[in-house]
Amino acid sequence: MKINEKRIIPYLIVVVPLALVLTASFFITTFYIEKVNAYFHKVKEGSIKEHVESKKAKSEIWVEQLNLLFDYKNNRVDEDIKVQLQARVDMAYKSARFIYEKYEGKKANHEIKERIVDALNQMTYNTQKDYIFIADFNGNTILSRSSLLNQKNISAYEDVDGRSIVLEEIQKVRKEGEGFLESNFYTGAGKQIILVKNLDMYDWYIGSSTNVVQKRDALKTSLLGMVKSVPMDSVDFMGLYDDRKPIFLSKKMRTFLGDESLEVISKNLSKEPTWYKDQLDGYYYYSKYYEPLDWYLVYGFEISKMSKKELKKQTELEEILDNELKFIIKASGSIVIFVAILSLLLSRKINQIFSQYQLEVKKRTDELEKLNESLEQRVYDGLRAHRQKDKMLIQQSKMAEMGDMLSMIAHQWRQPLNQMSYLFMNIDSAYEYKELTKEYLDEKLKEGNTLLEFMSVTIDDFRNYFRPDKDKEFVLVSDVVHTSVSLMQKSLEVSGVEVELESYGRDLTHIYKNEFIQVMLNLIKNAKDILVDKKIENPKIIITSRCEKDKLIVEVCDNGGGVDEKIKDKIFDPYFSTKDKQSGTGLGLYMSKMIIEEHLDGKLSVSNSKDGACFKIEI
């Protein structure tokens, strides 16, 4: 089977690259063609969208321009009426004044009045629809605006809106000499603009009026003619609606759209400027309402038909796509042929290298087999020696601390021994002075037993510390920390070092208790020694334990000024110490780091805080 595999490999070296090249070429070519097609369709859609947006903008511009024209012409109606009335009334005023001045003192007043009335009665305008009227300040009609009101007092006359319009005319003339008013003077006649002017004789005033509705009808006729003459593109259409009824539909609009579509447009007309896309299939149209004339202007276009420029652009894009596809196919074919030839040439060289490689592999395999025969035993021996070394170092570290422990025991026992001495002295004195009673003796014996029990517990604590851990146990780290501090309590008190314990959360964990105590004692002792050596005022050690997510963190911090940055990376090295040889072995921090990181799967690190060094245990 192995012989067959070795024979197949050279063929695979030739066939596999060719197959990979052909496969890769196929997928790359397909991918690129899809990308080019997608790009073409995207550009085409963008071109159509650009065409539509351009036509929409043009349509809006046309509608806005026509609305501006409507607005301009409509706003001129009232102004034109006032100009015409002013010219009319001024001419009548000049004629009346001319007659008056010519015949004053030559003819009687009633003859002069008759001549003035006859002259102004001849002045008619707008196919005799507009004329000059005369009245006096008492409301009497001299030359009436209607035969029904001739030679009557019309001061109490009210127009359609209930206004005393004649009195308003008299008041306007008296105060201002002349002025314009607006009134619906007759029922059904619509709004009229009136100009009145003081004639400055006989307490008369003259005036004339024009019907605004008639003028607006004439304006509509004029504007409709302008709309009909607006030039449009071949695909555009336009319509004008008065009160939703068509008054003008362009030829293209009648040709493109049937009665049903025109009915849809008329039905959907809105007083808000609106674009309509979905109401008519294949068409966009825009409508805008012109309120003064109650007109709706519609302008639209056919979406599918494009300008020659746009069609030319589409044709050019199609030609570019065809050229790209031809180039991709030719390039892919050339690459496949080139890679096939190169693969055949390289395969021969690879086969030669492969043969040499097989010989080299066989040689190396034989050497490895010989090496493996002894490797397992060597690894086992190395691990065993390393573990033995760790145990020796731990024990050596404990033995090195034995002197400190004995000192701590002495500190712990000194006070109770002194109290025992005072106790015996008290009993002896009581006996000598015959004051020793059974109750007094029992009390002193009880105090002595309490002191002996304290000394026994102290010995048990130190004995348990030196007993090696066999199994991990679940403990509260805050309790272990408290035990560690209690072992050094007297030593810390003698040195004047204050210890502050802080615990947050439930700090239950699974550890080797005595090994953790050893680490805590090392850290506390190092902090105490630094504080004493540097003679720090108010020396203080803060021990904090807390839980953070899945981690248990214990920090031992002091106010001794911190660790020198130059030796910060070396303090965990074995046999490195800042103390003299008699005071330190250099194993304390090294063993502490090894216990935390190798035995307890944690991490021990050091950093400088504001006041001093801070050792951090993470488990």
Side-chain angles (χ1 to χ4, degrees), residues 177-274:
E178 67 175 291
F180 290 98
L181 297 95
E182 293 183 0
S183 172
N184 292 319
F185 204 88
Y186 303 112
T187 302
K191 173 185 167 184
Q192 290 188 342
I193 296 178
I194 306 168
L195 174 61
V196 291
K197 186 172 183 176
N198 192 347
L199 199 53
D200 297 323
M201 55 185 175
Y202 307 129
D203 290 333
W204 285 3
Y205 69 90
I206 61 173
S208 184
S209 63
T210 296
N211 190 299
V212 178
V213 175
Q214 294 173 357
K215 286 290 185 180
R216 291 200 188 281
D217 290 341
L219 173 65
K220 286 185 176 182
T221 303
S222 173
L223 291 176
L224 181 59
M226 292 181 182
V227 171
K228 291 180 179 179
S229 63
V230 171
M232 289 180 290
D233 292 342
S234 59
V235 296
D236 296 354
F237 58 85
M238 183 167 59
L240 189 62
Y241 291 77
D242 188 352
D243 192 24
R244 297 182 177 273
K245 296 177 182 178
I247 57 175
F248 167 70
L249 299 175
S250 67
K251 182 179 179 182
K252 296 181 181 66
M253 188 170 184
R254 296 192 302 272
T255 304
F256 292 165
L257 309 175
D259 293 338
E260 186 177 347
S261 297
L262 293 175
E263 182 65 27
V264 170
I265 292 175
S266 179
K267 182 179 179 181
N268 290 306
L269 289 174
S270 171
K271 291 188 177 181
E272 296 296 327
T274 308

Side-chain angles (χ1 to χ4, degrees), residues 67-85:
N67 268 268
L68 289 174
L69 176 63
F70 295 165
D71 216 30
Y72 172 77
K73 291 290 187 181
N74 182 61
N75 291 336
R76 292 291 303 175
V77 169
D78 290 353
E79 294 178 13
D80 290 344
I81 290 174
K82 289 180 179 180
V83 170
Q84 293 174 6
L85 288 174

Side-chain angles (χ1 to χ4, degrees), residues 441-459:
L441 181 61
D442 289 342
E443 179 184 350
K444 295 303 177 181
L445 289 175
K446 185 176 180 181
E447 290 180 10
N449 286 332
T450 301
L451 293 172
L452 290 173
E453 184 178 353
F454 171 77
M455 295 169 69
S456 176
V457 169
T458 302
I459 287 295

Side-chain angles (χ1 to χ4, degrees), residues 97 306 318 342 403 479 534 605:
R97 291 298 301 177
M306 303 176 68
E318 291 175 357
L342 184 63
D479 292 343
K534 291 186 177 182
S605 59

